[in-house]
Amino acid sequence: MSGKLFKLIERNARRNLRRTVLTTLTVALATFIFTVLVSVPASMDRIISDASTTLRLIVNNKTAPWYDLPARYCDAIRELPGCAACVAVTGWPATWHNVSEQVFAAGVGPEIGAVFPDYALSAEHQRAIASERRAAVVGELLMKKYGWKLGQQITLRATTPVAMDLTFVIMGTIQSKHYPNTFIFNRSYLMEAFKAHGMGSVDYAWQLIVRADNSDHLAMLAKEIDERFANSDAETRSETESDALSTGLSQLGDVRRIVFSLCAIVILTVMLIAANSTAMMVRERIGEVAVMRALGFSRGAIGTLLFGECAIVGVVGGGVGAGLAYWLFSGGATLGPVLNGNGALYVMPAQAIVGFAAAIFVAIVSGMIPIAGALRVAPALAFRKTV
């Protein structure tokens, strides 16, 4: 029985194939956009959740994060109990071929492997960063975005704090999904370039990143660091990596409200389009509905046929849209400013399933009013009735 019913629904859906295909494509496009949009806040939550499992502290200047800190602070921090490693990081916002191809490069010390074990840097890569000025290790998404290859020589340009070009040789890839847009190189190379361009010889870092030896020492270590440099020329403010990322993402504004507002607009739009398509379909079938009612078909059976056509549009359109979003973004995509340079956008199976379910729900709900109107019409009046 169910097989015959499905066959009848499928045949009815093909009776006006152009309209069915166009409606299905509309649902597919809306589902694709919806799935990608709901993945943005999910990716933000994943970035913070992943960071909460690390043992890292971010140490910034207490006055404001954009003020520098002396890199030599790391020497004193390493002597504190509970400290496993400390590395000074100096950012260098640069571009590749043009201003739209942005690369947030960072000069780091040789301790980077000890502070970021999740980077899974090999001993060879750590030696290269420590000993070779032009060696760079790059996140896999950034490599993919610009089509870079291992061993390739590239030149990055920057205009701040001073205009200069630096040439690098890509020695390795960072496989971690935590910071897939990372571009790190020897910090001494950057300091020497600054000095050569007249910026003095003071060794400042944007921030210090400290790794505790266990989670029980994180709070204690943060307090000791801030107390150690209290009343100094550059006081510190230490916080966990997850807190620092939460602060950075919150500076973007209320991204979640914007995303959910866009999702609501997408759903409302596709619902109106699907409702219009369903109304046309029902108007064409009103005579058939009357005949079926006269032959003894129940309202439930006729409603099942009509809602079945709506469901087919939702299943096919939702499957195509959610599947395409998962196929394109399951491996991650660099969105730069959208996530404030942290992490990447990933469409996970959970978001794809939500998008698929939303498509079916919208397709069925959009048909409720016209189908209910058709089922309420008496068979004797249906041949003259327009829904």
Side-chain angles (χ1 to χ4, degrees), residues 282-283 285-291 377-387:
V282 171
R283 185 169 59 238
R285 308 283 169 76
I286 194 67
E288 298 174 24
V289 171
V291 172
V377 178
L381 301 175
F383 292 103
R384 295 178 295 175
K385 180 73 175 177
T386 301
V387 179

Side-chain angles (χ1 to χ4, degrees), residues 145-224:
K145 179 180 180 181
Y146 293 136
W148 291 340
K149 307 294 182 185
L150 291 179
Q152 181 177 347
Q153 179 174 298
I154 63 171
T155 299
L156 300 182
R157 301 175 178 83
T159 56
T160 56
V162 61
M164 64 181 187
D165 295 352
L166 290 181
T167 300
F168 303 95
V169 177
I170 299 175
M171 303 295 291
T173 304
I174 298 173
Q175 302 295 332
S176 171
K177 290 186 176 181
H178 199 168
Y179 294 106
N181 306 306
T182 303
F183 186 106
I184 57 176
F185 61 98
N186 192 321
R187 208 172 67 86
S188 299
Y189 184 32
L190 184 61
M191 293 298 107
E192 292 171 1
F194 283 162
K195 184 179 179 180
H197 285 77
M199 292 190 62
S201 57
V202 179
D203 189 9
Y204 280 108
W206 274 23
Q207 58 185 195
L208 311 176
I209 303 179
V210 181
R211 184 166 181 266
D213 54 7
N214 68 64
S215 58
D216 295 334
H217 292 162
L218 269 175
M220 177 197 69
L221 184 57
K223 182 180 179 183
E224 289 188 351

